[in-house]
Amino acid sequence: MSNIYFTEEHNLFRESLRDFLQKEVVPHIEKWEETGHIERFIWKKFGDMGYFGLAYPEKYGGLDLDLFYTVILLEELQRINSGGFAAAIWAHAYLAMTHLNKEGDDAIKSKYLSNSISGDMIGCLCVTEPFGGSDVAGMRTTAVKDGDYYIINGSKTFITNGVYSDYMVVAAKTSPELGNKGISIFVVDSNTEGVSATKLDKLGWRASDTGEIAFDNVKVPASQLMGEEGKGFPYIMQHFALERLIMGINAHARAEYALEYTLQYMSERTTFGKSLDKYQALRHRFVDMHADMQLCKSYNYMVADQLEKGAYVVEEATISKLKSTKMADEVAYNCLQFLGGYGYMEEYPLARIFRDSRLGPIGGGTSEILKEILSKIIIDKKSYKPATQ
């Protein structure tokens, strides 16, 4: 684990986390993959260990540690080979909780953030809509002010933790006529009257619950507005950089695990009197993939380091997700091929890696959308600025 970004403390954290995951999570993975429901007890165990509080203030029960502890958490979650379990954890800890931490007032943080850190509450982030996809500005969900309340109507889709969460961080238009300048962010209790969630059936990420959420005249106290009214779009954009980097890190870690497993398999599997790792065609393809993985990994660490130092890394994080998820898909495809018929069998890990990896270039902004964003930055010289509060 020697690396310029990781200290001895980081490495000890990685070892203890790896032990925890093997002992507490791995024995349940097959069940959760089958049922699509991650049981509540594991959230509490994560909370008790402090894993949800790595990046958050001590005031609310967090540990206020540097971003490389988060990098380690993400990498180790990929190594237990359940993209769905990993997604449920990081969608709670970084998508929902990042908004609570950055835009929530003290009352919201005291209730929602502290209970999220302890593992007593599970959160989700509701931005994507059935008609909009990556077009955040085109959202149709509205929040109309009515006295001391907002009335929310609309729908969201592809929401990780959408079915079993306790609260939702919801983006809605408070001033539809203002386009992307009319979006606001709310925290909504999932059991509020008028909120309903339908579970979606997915190709991969089977352990996580992904929901389509409907809001039918949902009455939310005005105190549940987070940050300033109308500032939702820049808040969302600001946090997209972290989400994209997370998905980039997930991708390089998933690829690294796939390569490690495949190399072990190749060293043990023999045909015509020699092991697979002695065939030049396979050796050269393997080192090509290893090299691509290392390039992505080094780049992702560099971006994480910049983000940790306060840089605004929209372009870099977008490149991280675009390139790392493409690389991971190619690695999953080829590693499955290296296993031959066994690669296609569910009892071997490559089948699930192959399915789970496929979401990489889709979720959190498709590769096509990311290329358009990068075109605007690189070709049209458009600059994205952080939201000021």
Side-chain angles (χ1 to χ4, degrees):
M1 291 297 168
S2 63
N3 186 294
I4 56 167
Y5 300 110
F6 297 105
T7 63
E8 190 54 37
E9 285 79 14
H10 285 124
N11 295 338
L12 289 170
F13 172 71
R14 188 187 293 275
E15 280 174 37
S16 68
L17 171 62
R18 191 173 285 187
D19 288 344
F20 170 84
L21 292 173
Q22 284 301 324
K23 187 165 152 264
E24 304 290 350
V25 179
V26 169
H28 306 285
I29 287 291
E30 296 309 317
K31 180 183 175 186
W32 297 338
E33 284 279 330
E34 229 167 86
T35 62
H37 183 202
I38 298 160
E39 293 160 285
R40 291 295 293 224
F41 73 83
I42 199 65
W43 298 87
K44 192 66 189 129
K45 282 190 175 172
F46 265 76
D48 291 344
M49 293 297 288
Y51 297 144
F52 291 137
L54 299 176
Y56 295 105
E58 291 178 20
K59 181 180 177 185
Y60 302 103
L63 298 168
D64 211 4
L65 295 167
D66 68 72
L67 193 57
F68 281 92
Y69 283 92
T70 290
V71 171
I72 292 166
L73 177 68
L74 296 170
E75 288 181 330
E76 293 304 316
L77 282 169
Q78 291 299 314
R79 298 183 66 85
I80 60 173
N81 196 21
S82 171
F85 179 79
I89 295 295
W90 63 254
H92 166 67
Y94 297 101
L95 302 191
M97 288 169 61
T98 296
H99 280 279
L100 293 177
N101 186 46
K102 288 289 202 293
E103 288 110 49
D105 59 21
D106 192 55
I108 284 172
K109 287 182 192 173
S110 298
K111 179 180 176 183
Y112 295 96
L113 185 59
S114 61
N115 280 310
S116 295
I117 289 170
S118 68
D120 290 301
M121 285 181 123
I122 302 170
C124 66
L125 176 63
C126 300
V127 176
T128 304
E129 298 195 357
F131 303 99
S134 297
D135 179 11
V136 175
M139 73 171 57
R140 301 179 183 183
T141 300
T142 57
V144 178
K145 190 82 186 281
D146 181 13
D148 293 335
Y149 292 87
Y150 285 88
I151 309 297
I152 300 180
N153 281 288
S155 57
K156 303 287 177 181
T157 197
F158 308 140
I159 308 303
T160 300
N161 296 341
V163 181
Y164 299 118
S165 62
D166 300 295
Y167 67 88
M168 304 173 168
V169 174
V170 180
K173 283 193 169 163
T174 39
S175 304
E177 71 282 359
L178 297 179
N180 69 11
K181 292 185 172 61
I183 296 171
S184 302
I185 302 274
F186 300 86
V187 59
V188 179
D189 290 314
S190 301
N191 62 3
T192 309
E193 195 177 337
V195 177
S196 58
T198 308
K199 194 168 183 175
L200 300 170
D201 191 16
K202 308 184 297 288
L203 170 69
W205 280 22
R206 303 289 297 178
S208 67
D209 63 290
T210 302
E212 185 155 296
I213 318 295
F215 300 95
D216 180 12
N217 288 322
V218 176
K219 204 172 168 186
V220 178
S223 59
Q224 303 282 90
L225 171 75
M226 295 208 291
E228 285 179 52
E229 188 173 283
K231 286 280 182 72
F233 189 74
Y235 295 150
I236 294 164
M237 292 296 127
Q238 187 163 313
H239 305 325
F240 268 166
L242 176 63
E243 181 180 357
R244 287 171 192 157
L245 179 59
I246 284 172
M247 293 194 76
I249 291 165
N250 289 341
H252 84 233
R254 184 165 62 248
E256 186 169 35
Y257 171 72
L259 288 164
E260 281 177 22
Y261 176 85
T262 303
L263 188 57
Q264 178 70 33
Y265 177 88
M266 289 166 69
S267 71
E268 295 166 357
R269 172 83 166 149
T270 55
T271 57
F272 306 108
K274 60 178 179 178
S275 56
L276 295 184
D277 61 0
K278 297 292 186 279
Y279 286 92
Q280 188 183 46
L282 299 184
R283 290 161 68 87
H284 289 192
R285 264 167 79 194
F286 187 92
V287 297
D288 247 350
M289 292 190 290
H290 178 83
D292 289 342
M293 180 275 293
Q294 288 285 17
L295 282 171
C296 288
K297 184 174 167 181
S298 298
Y299 179 79
N300 293 342
Y301 286 171
M302 181 274 290
V303 179
D305 190 48
Q306 287 189 4
L307 187 60
E308 172 66 18
K309 288 173 175 162
Y312 193 61
V313 294
V314 168
E315 179 183 344
E316 295 84 349
T318 305
I319 290 171
S320 159
K321 181 183 184 299
L322 178 69
K323 290 297 182 184
S324 300
T325 56
K326 183 171 190 277
M327 174 277 298
D329 256 13
E330 287 167 3
V331 167
Y333 183 93
N334 283 301
C335 285
L336 191 152
Q337 184 71 21
F338 283 9
L339 266 68
Y342 291 112
Y344 206 64
M345 296 298 121
E346 286 290 343
E347 65 193 273
Y348 285 75
L350 264 303
R352 185 183 298 157
I353 290 176
F354 182 70
R355 284 200 312 274
D356 286 354
S357 184
R358 192 61 191 85
L359 192 69
I362 297 170
T366 64
S367 294
E368 292 72 20
I369 291 283
L370 298 189
K371 285 177 186 175
E372 191 48 40
I373 290 165
L374 288 168
S375 299
K376 286 176 182 171
I377 295 170
I378 297 160
I379 299 168
D380 304 337
K381 308 294 183 221
K382 181 175 170 63
S383 65
Y384 293 88
K385 293 282 182 277
T388 51
Q389 275 187 260

